[in-house]
Amino acid sequence: MKEEDGYGGAQTDGKVQELCLEKFSSRDYIMEPTVFNTLKSYFQAGGSPEHVIQLLSENYSAVAQTVNLLAEWLIQMGMEPAQVQERVENHLKSLLIKHFDPQKADSIFTVEGETPAWLEQMIAHTTWRDLFYKLAEAHPDCLMLNFTVKLISDAGYQGEITSVSTACQQLEVFSRVLRTSLATLLDGGEQNLEKNLPEFAKMVCHGEHTYLFAQAMMSILAQEEQGGSAMRRIGQEVQKFAHERGHDASQITLALGTAAAYPRACQALGAMLSKGALNPADITIRVPAFLDLFMLSLFKPGAKINQDHKHKYIHILAYAASVVETWKKNKRVNINKDELKSTSKAVETVHNLCCNENKGATELVAELSTLYQCIRYQHPAFSFK
């Protein structure tokens, strides 16, 4: 029995040596971070030191050292060290992107058994973090890359993660990126909002789960007194972005708003927003996508409007533009309708001027003063307080 055990052990040791020798025969294996673990396994299996030295020496091409030597020559020839470093790093990045193997990358954790020290060192540098973002975008199912993105987020660099699929792979990472992006949008003013909103909206609209999560968060934050109206504006801009790209998010919009408390009104609203057309329902709601339907019905040349319902449309549009409501903790505590009548009259006046088919361009010029007085009333999409 002991002889059999000895034979089995010798057979196992021989297999370990064979696997190790295969690795030692690969190009520049002496530069691999796993070389010490492989050497340990080889010697524990009874391997010969002379054979190892021979294989590692014969297969040493010194690629990294040659690059360093060339870099030194470039610097001596007058090139700035920073330029040399950037050129080497960019070339290395392009090679890594071209030859990256997700399966080999995932095996790193199997071999190491823990987070490799070199990985933590790499994410401390902007260049290599950018590499991981690009790789994660190209290989969204790679576990090693998803873990690395989480490491980057944990290290506080979530503000850099602007790639859509990279940010949306993990809820923990997405929530951090969402928080950082919202803070950037809120702090930068109108100009910053216009600049960064498209990328933010693209990220939020990546999928139903990201859209619902982000809109739910923004809906809660919109109830705050400080910054609530700006947060509501951002949520509505994202909804508009989704609609323009053919996504029907009307049910989510209604579910997160107060309309859900009124089932019949909610049903009518949902139908109108989905179809993009009005029906005679008399509903007062401040959703830009919904109000745009009123704008088109009242002011678009050639639009047909039911005269019996025209005054209702005008009233809803004027209400949205002029009435100021104060809310605290989901409860309305004050409502100001001081400008409702004058705004309603202005909307009706402009509607009559724009839709009067009997008036030519010359006659409209005479009404410019009237039009100017009326258009001073703000657009409902920007009237929320």
Side-chain angles (χ1 to χ4, degrees):
M1 187 71 178
K2 290 182 179 178
E3 290 181 3
E4 291 179 359
D5 290 343
Y7 174 75
Q11 193 176 34
T12 303
D13 287 344
K15 196 167 186 178
V16 170
Q17 289 185 36
E18 185 180 344
L19 290 172
C20 291
L21 289 172
E22 186 180 346
K23 292 181 179 179
F24 294 143
S25 301
S26 61
R27 186 183 185 188
D28 267 346
Y29 188 73
I30 196 172
M31 301 299 295
E32 295 292 333
T34 57
V35 66
F36 295 108
N37 290 333
T38 309
L39 283 168
K40 184 179 179 181
S41 299
Y42 179 73
F43 290 137
Q44 285 177 343
S48 167
E50 292 80 5
H51 198 185
V52 173
I53 294 171
Q54 182 184 358
L55 286 174
L56 291 177
S57 301
E58 288 178 352
N59 292 285
Y60 178 54
S61 301
V63 173
Q65 286 69 25
T66 304
V67 171
N68 289 335
L69 180 61
L70 291 172
E72 288 292 336
W73 288 351
L74 287 172
I75 293 172
Q76 290 178 12
M77 291 170 64
M79 201 170 180
E80 291 294 327
Q83 289 180 302
V84 175
Q85 181 177 347
E86 183 181 2
R87 177 170 293 188
V88 172
E89 288 177 346
N90 288 338
H91 182 66
L92 184 55
K93 279 171 62 177
S94 64
L95 289 175
L96 287 168
I97 292 172
K98 182 179 179 180
H99 299 288
F100 184 79
D101 187 334
Q103 292 184 343
K104 288 184 178 179
D106 288 343
S107 68
I108 289 173
F109 293 98
T110 307
V111 176
E112 296 279 343
E114 59 183 7
T115 305
W118 56 264
L119 184 60
E120 295 181 339
Q121 293 170 3
M122 285 185 74
I123 66 174
H125 298 277
T126 305
T127 301
W128 305 124
R129 289 198 302 272
D130 181 64
L131 169 67
F132 285 124
Y133 300 147
K134 291 179 179 177
L135 288 173
E137 186 80 9
H139 307 279
D141 297 325
C142 179
L143 299 178
M144 177 265 185
L145 292 175
N146 287 333
F147 177 76
T148 303
V149 170
K150 185 178 182 302
L151 278 182
I152 293 173
S153 176
D154 291 342
Y157 299 110
Q158 65 269 11
E160 297 176 350
I161 306 175
T162 56
S163 167
V164 175
S165 61
T166 303
C168 300
Q169 286 295 320
Q170 305 171 68
L171 179 61
E172 188 176 350
V173 175
F174 178 73
S175 61
R176 286 176 182 162
V177 175
L178 179 67
R179 181 185 62 191
T180 304
S181 300
L182 283 173
T184 302
L185 289 173
L186 290 171
D187 294 340
E190 184 69 24
Q191 187 175 359
N192 184 63
L193 182 66
E194 292 179 0
K195 177 183 176 182
N196 295 309
L197 191 59
E199 189 68 29
F200 175 78
K202 183 181 177 184
M203 179 186 73
V204 171
C205 295
H206 175 70
E208 290 183 7
H209 62 295
T210 54
Y211 185 87
L212 178 59
F213 180 84
Q215 287 288 24
M217 291 298 101
M218 288 188 284
S219 177
I220 294 171
L221 293 173
Q223 298 169 18
E224 299 292 327
E225 289 186 32
Q226 185 175 0
S229 58
M231 189 63 67
R232 189 180 300 111
R233 158 85 185 283
I234 295 172
Q236 291 166 348
E237 291 288 355
V238 171
Q239 182 200 351
K240 181 181 177 182
F241 181 92
H243 178 72
E244 289 174 348
R245 276 148 187 79
H247 304 301
D248 183 9
S250 56
Q251 295 303 322
I252 293 177
T253 302
L254 297 176
L256 294 174
T258 56
Y262 307 93
R264 291 183 63 187
C266 190
Q267 184 180 7
L269 258 179
M272 283 186 278
L273 289 175
S274 297
K275 295 177 182 178
L278 292 172
N279 65 37
D282 182 12
I283 302 167
T284 56
I285 185 170
R286 297 181 177 186
V287 177
F290 181 73
L291 295 173
D292 283 344
L293 298 178
F294 285 101
M295 299 287 286
L296 290 173
S297 295
L298 289 170
F299 302 111
K300 184 179 179 180
K304 302 296 181 183
I305 185 170
N306 189 320
Q307 294 300 312
D308 293 336
H309 303 120
K310 184 175 74 173
H311 71 282
K312 296 180 181 179
Y313 296 170
I314 291 172
H315 175 80
I316 293 173
L317 200 58
Y319 189 103
S322 63
V323 175
V324 180
E325 299 173 340
T326 305
W327 292 74
K328 287 186 179 180
K329 296 181 179 180
N330 282 334
K331 189 175 182 181
R332 188 170 66 188
V333 295
N334 185 47
I335 181 169
N336 185 337
K337 298 183 180 180
D338 292 349
E339 298 182 9
L340 178 56
K341 287 185 178 180
S342 58
T343 304
S344 181
K345 184 178 179 181
V347 172
E348 185 174 11
T349 300
V350 174
H351 165 74
N352 291 333
L353 286 173
C354 293
C355 298
N356 191 337
E357 297 179 355
N358 296 321
K359 283 196 174 186
T362 306
E363 293 173 288
L364 282 175
V365 171
E367 302 289 352
L368 283 178
S369 177
T370 303
L371 282 171
Y372 177 74
Q373 294 298 322
C374 293
I375 63 175
R376 291 188 305 163
Y377 293 89
Q378 59 186 332
H379 187 282
F382 304 102
S383 65
F384 309 121
K385 295 188 173 77

